[in-house]
């Protein structure tokens, strides 16, 4: 098995399709035996010291050891799909197939969604599409959630609220901020929303009604 992910320093990322293609072709030209390529379907959080040495790696565990300066490294499904397309066009003679690390499991915060993995394997288009949902609560304000209805796990969107929404607060991985024109709900830099999942993002009070659902880019 040839592993093409998490084999270089954190500054080089978790996976690079061009490097993986070079390594696969080089090994394919060298080995007389059947081999498989291990592909990533996950992310990790890496904490390094001032000299760039790795201090902690957070992956599947519930308790995280990295500090606030840790970085999320994610294998982009689009990059992995690119490698699969290139290998389909120029397949080494002894390449027998692919192994995925790791398969989707409920509660895995850094693994790909089943939707994203299935889309990559099928060679279909990857795209994140977000819907904001609003629901009136008992106090008369509106609870807001965002849902990823696409096929790509991705960072959730910045949400511009109508000018008549003048009061609110954010929840979870979102923060409320204001512009001259209106309020905004902004995701944290490392916020992530898997395909098919939703998250609570805040509440607002508005002078007019909002649609129950609307699309955002």
């Amino acid at each position: 098995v040839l592993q093409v992910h998490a084999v270089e320093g954190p500054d080089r990322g978790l996976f690079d399709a061009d490097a993986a293609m070079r390594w696969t072709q080089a090994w394919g030209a060298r080995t007389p035996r059947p081999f498989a390529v291990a592909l990533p379907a996950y992310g990790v959080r890496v904490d390094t010291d001032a000299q760039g040495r790795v201090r902690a790696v957070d992956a599947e565990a519930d308790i995280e050891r990295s500090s606030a300066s840790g970085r999320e490294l994610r294998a982009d499904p689009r990059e992995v799909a690119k490698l699969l397309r290139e290998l389909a066009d120029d397949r080494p003679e002894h390449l027998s197939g692919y192994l995925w690390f790791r398969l989707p499991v409920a509660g895995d915060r850094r693994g790909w969604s089943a939707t994203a993995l299935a889309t990559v394997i099928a060679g279909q288009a990857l795209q994140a599409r977000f819907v904001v949902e609003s629901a009136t609560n008992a106090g008369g304000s509106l609870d807001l959630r965002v849902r990823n209805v696409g096929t790509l796990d991705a960072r959730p969107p910045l949400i511009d609220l109508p000018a008549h929404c003048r009061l609110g607060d954010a929840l979870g991985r979102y923060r409320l901020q204001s512009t001259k024109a209106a309020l905004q709900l902004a995701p944290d830099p490392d916020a992530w929303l898997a395909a098919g999942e939703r998250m609570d993002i805040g509440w607002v009070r508005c002078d007019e009604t909002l649609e129950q659902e609307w699309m955002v880019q």
Side-chain angles (χ1 to χ4, degrees):
V1 176
L2 177 67
Q3 181 172 330
V4 294
H5 58 94
V7 293
E8 296 187 301
D11 289 340
R12 302 295 296 272
L14 190 66
F15 173 82
D16 179 82
D18 294 334
M21 185 66 179
R22 292 195 303 271
W23 297 334
T24 304
Q25 293 288 10
W27 183 246
R30 188 179 183 88
T31 182
R33 300 176 181 276
F35 71 99
V37 174
L39 297 175
Y42 70 101
V44 294
R45 183 178 178 85
V46 178
D47 196 5
T48 55
D49 61 20
Q51 288 72 44
R53 294 173 299 198
V54 175
R55 293 189 297 197
V57 177
D58 293 320
E60 301 103 317
D62 292 333
I63 298 176
E64 301 200 335
R65 300 178 297 139
S66 59
S67 68
S69 62
R71 292 176 294 160
E72 294 284 349
L73 304 180
R74 301 183 186 274
D76 189 334
R78 293 167 294 190
E79 282 288 294
V80 179
K82 173 185 173 183
L83 174 65
L84 291 175
R85 290 194 301 270
E86 291 177 350
L87 287 173
D89 293 337
D90 189 10
R91 188 182 183 93
E93 178 182 358
H94 298 293
L95 176 58
S96 61
Y98 305 101
L99 303 177
W100 291 95
F101 182 82
R102 48 199 187 257
L103 295 179
V105 176
D108 186 346
R109 293 169 294 169
R110 294 188 173 92
W112 288 4
S113 66
T115 297
L117 179 58
T119 302
V120 170
I121 292 173
Q124 298 174 345
L126 288 158
Q127 182 181 13
R129 299 175 61 241
F130 297 103
V131 170
V132 179
E133 304 171 342
S134 69
T136 305
N137 59 39
S141 59
L142 296 170
D143 293 327
L144 300 180
R145 297 193 298 181
V146 63
R147 177 164 47 103
N148 186 347
V149 297
T151 56
L152 177 66
D153 307 337
R155 185 171 183 257
L158 174 71
I159 298 168
D160 291 300
L161 296 168
H164 62 81
C165 296
R166 304 183 182 279
L167 181 65
D169 201 359
L171 293 172
R173 305 309 305 276
Y174 268 76
R175 298 292 176 266
L176 184 70
Q177 58 191 34
S178 61
T179 67
K180 292 181 180 179
L183 298 176
Q184 290 179 327
L185 286 167
D188 291 342
D190 60 353
W192 205 250
L193 189 58
E197 294 189 356
R198 53 165 56 88
M199 66 168 63
D200 296 326
I201 60 174
W203 62 268
V204 290
R205 287 189 180 275
C206 304
D207 296 335
E208 303 174 18
T209 58
L210 295 182
E211 296 181 21
Q212 291 185 338
E213 291 187 357
W214 69 92
M215 297 289 302
V216 291
Q217 298 296 325

